[in-house]
Amino acid sequence: MSHLSGKTIAFLVAAEGIERVELTDPWQAVTDAGATPVLLSPEEGDVQTFDHLDKAETRPVDKTVKSASVDDYDALVLPGGVANPDALRTDEDAVDFVRDFVASGKPVAAICHAPWTLIEADVLKGRTLTSWPSLQTDLRNAGATWVDQEVVVDGNLITSRNPDDLPAFNSQLLESIAHGAAAQEA
């Protein structure tokens, strides 16, 4: 399967606290579809993934988010894990990149706790999405409508609740990359 040949997908994560499967499953899905995944992070080096609270594998960063351009990517994936998006939302370059990516109209896929970074980027007013249930008050306070569904698409935003939703999340991500996504006006 190589229907995404020539596409480059950014995966943005902090230095640690990434839920491993929320990075590796979408990464494998885009790779299997012929796209090139690129790991972005605020700092160079390796990032530490976790299986819930237990350390899992490390992965090398391909490029710092500060040196990345939205123009170079066809989609953005924001994996979850509690500490990962919490750290990203305190990094100005990461928040700016996410804000600019959402504004570009290209697909932005966020799973589990990752919408915290979308909140910080102030891009959720009038949007409908899902997340890990504990984020629903934060999302509503940011002007979004929260729903409890395995995958939600609103314009160029694709969101899912947790690792159990990865098959639907990955399928929608690939569909949106292949057929494009246009940002809806709020």
Side-chain angles (χ1 to χ4, degrees), residues 6-157:
K7 303 282 187 182
T8 304
I9 314 307
F11 284 74
L12 177 59
V13 298
E16 66 178 355
I18 306 118
E19 187 66 31
R20 180 190 56 79
V21 71
E22 294 173 7
L23 171 62
T24 59
D25 270 25
W27 186 283
Q28 191 63 53
V30 301
T31 300
D32 289 348
T36 302
V38 176
L39 189 60
L40 305 178
S41 190
E43 297 179 22
E44 295 176 340
D46 289 335
V47 297
Q48 177 67 59
T49 65
F50 284 75
D51 290 331
H52 192 51
L53 298 175
D54 298 322
K55 284 186 178 183
E57 66 188 22
T58 61
R59 291 210 154 200
V61 171
D62 295 312
K63 192 171 200 174
T64 64
V65 69
K66 185 175 187 163
S67 66
S69 170
V70 171
D71 295 338
D72 295 337
Y73 303 97
D74 297 289
L76 172 63
V77 177
L78 298 170
V82 178
N84 172 46
D86 193 50
L88 279 181
R89 67 184 178 163
T90 65
D91 184 274
E92 186 177 334
D93 294 321
V95 172
D96 289 346
F97 187 80
V98 169
R99 183 181 303 112
D100 293 346
F101 219 103
V102 173
S104 78
K106 298 175 188 179
V108 176
I111 188 166
C112 205
H113 288 79
W116 266 338
T117 311
L118 296 171
I119 291 169
E120 194 65 33
D122 195 24
V123 296
L124 296 180
K125 288 179 184 65
R127 305 297 287 267
T128 299
L129 63 158
T130 194
S131 67
W132 184 256
S134 66
L135 274 65
Q136 61 185 296
T137 299
D138 297 338
L139 291 164
R140 288 182 181 123
N141 288 341
T145 299
W146 185 87
V147 294
D148 185 12
Q149 296 174 10
E150 72 176 350
V151 66
V152 175
V153 178
D154 184 338
N156 62 329
L157 291 181

